Amino acid sequence: MLKFPRQIGLKRQKCYSKEEFDSYINKLNGKTNIYTSLYHFDDPHDYDTVVIDRAWWDFDMNEDYPMQIVKEDVANLIKRLEGDVRLVATGRGFHVHQIFKRPVKGRDWAFHLDRYQRKMAEGLTSLDGVGYPEKITRVSNTFNVSRGKWATPIEARVFAQNPSDYSIPKRKNLDNMLDPFFGIVNHDDCFDLVIWKADNPYQESNNRTNNTVKVGHHGGEVALPTCLNRAIRMSNPPHHVRVGLVQTMAQQLRWFADPEDLTIDERMGIVDNICDFIEGLGWIDYNSATTRKYVRGMMKYKRSPSPSWYRRHNLCNGDCWYCGK
């Protein structure tokens, strides 16, 4: 299941072989926390070449959600999932891997992956994150030095039947039928995201209203390109998508005027509108203060992304009203 090239470590070093991967673990396991990119790539320098071979959910306890709620949420998710599901206990929570029957490639599939992951996790309050192309995750059967815990693969279906009483091992578990990266898998028994996408086509609203800013193809205060509107509906869109959103909204909300011609009050009004809209998108890492800081800092930019920019970032194939014009 572990394929290459991929990225390793918090610095995202490029890794091209199992030998390099094993060397990284053998040298640093027990000295620092061990991470790998969740997915591998055709080109590890380009996230748009991602090869998506699984869905992934992260559950963590915190002051709002004690471990008992986390366990119940994880068990409920596992019961909703079809096929081969691998579960890793991380010390403060769990990582759930659902292996796919066949991998899918590219940024467009990341959008459908996000739709699926959100759908399956509806109502599970302790969910802390889902899979996306840039995601890095703990490597199973490695030691978390900051928490003093092993990332231990456990029996997902058995755990789901009685999460409260399941005894989680305190050491590594080398069972090849449980490991999400090194284990044995029968892909014929796995879930097929391609079929799910066909059975659950994306229904795009022609007139979205979100807080104070109407968003539609042409009828609202801001006419977002179809491809941009689709890309921002992920739970954790990449940085360049967020930048494109702010630039597009700012340009239209000032009626294409030069930013230097705006008064301070006009500029702050636009910042308020953009921040209100972003708040309602449900991004998992949303932070009000951080969002406002960066939106305010981008008010000086005169232009928004061109159709070629969307195509270059694999966000559009030219079939939307903006990129195909």
Side-chain angles (χ1 to χ4, degrees), residues 31-271:
K31 300 176 182 178
T32 187
N33 297 332
I34 305 296
Y35 292 93
T36 179
S37 56
L38 182 60
Y39 303 111
H40 68 282
F41 307 89
D42 289 339
D43 177 359
H45 299 87
D46 184 358
Y47 291 117
D48 291 337
T49 68
V50 64
V51 181
I52 300 171
D53 62 352
R54 68 192 64 205
W56 183 90
W57 296 263
D58 177 23
F59 293 84
D60 268 327
M61 69 176 185
N62 55 40
E63 58 184 14
D64 296 318
Y65 305 112
M67 181 57 76
Q68 183 57 37
I69 291 180
V70 173
K71 288 183 176 181
E72 291 172 358
D73 281 351
V74 171
N76 286 329
L77 174 65
I78 292 171
K79 292 174 183 178
R80 299 174 184 177
L81 301 180
E82 301 175 13
D84 191 335
V85 178
R86 309 288 171 107
L87 180 61
V88 178
T90 62
R92 288 178 54 87
F94 299 87
H95 293 167
V96 182
H97 300 247
Q98 184 185 31
I99 312 302
F100 289 162
K101 185 182 186 73
R102 45 183 161 172
V104 293
K105 293 185 179 183
R107 181 71 68 180
D108 185 60
W109 275 105
F111 169 72
H112 298 292
L113 170 71
D114 189 78
R115 286 202 300 128
Y116 170 70
Q117 291 171 150
R118 284 198 197 198
K119 179 66 176 177
M120 301 311 295
E122 284 182 351
L124 305 180
T125 56
S126 63
L127 179 69
D128 193 50
V130 294
Y132 56 95
E134 295 87 351
K135 183 64 187 177
I136 59 173
T137 184
R138 290 280 308 283
V139 176
S140 46
N141 283 316
T142 61
F143 190 72
N144 187 327
V145 296
S146 55
R147 296 179 182 174
K149 302 281 187 179
W150 286 86
T152 307
I154 60 177
E155 303 158 298
R157 302 291 180 186
V158 176
F159 172 87
Q161 294 305 311
N162 189 3
S164 298
D165 296 332
Y166 187 92
S167 178
I168 298 175
K170 296 182 178 180
R171 301 288 294 176
K172 64 175 83 174
N173 185 346
L174 300 179
D175 188 333
N176 282 338
M177 298 307 295
L178 302 180
D179 197 292
F181 288 116
F182 304 100
I184 299 170
V185 60
N186 181 356
H187 288 284
D188 291 337
D189 297 332
C190 293
F191 172 78
D192 196 330
L193 185 65
V194 176
I195 293 178
W196 183 90
K197 177 195 171 187
D199 292 341
N200 298 270
Y202 175 60
Q203 301 295 326
E204 184 165 23
S205 169
N206 288 326
N207 186 24
R208 292 182 182 268
T209 299
N210 197 320
N211 292 329
T212 61
V213 181
K214 288 185 178 180
V215 180
H217 294 317
H218 295 287
E221 295 179 41
V222 174
L224 293 183
T226 308
C227 51
L228 177 59
N229 191 39
R230 180 171 59 240
I232 64 173
R233 304 294 164 176
M234 300 178 65
S235 62
N236 196 344
H239 176 71
H240 60 273
V241 169
R242 303 181 192 212
V243 171
L245 172 64
V246 174
Q247 291 177 334
T248 298
M249 294 188 69
Q251 186 183 52
Q252 294 189 40
L253 288 170
R254 66 175 184 266
W255 292 94
F256 298 88
D258 189 313
E260 295 183 359
D261 293 337
L262 301 180
T263 67
I264 293 178
D265 287 344
E266 289 171 333
R267 192 178 299 118
M268 289 302 100
I270 292 173
V271 170

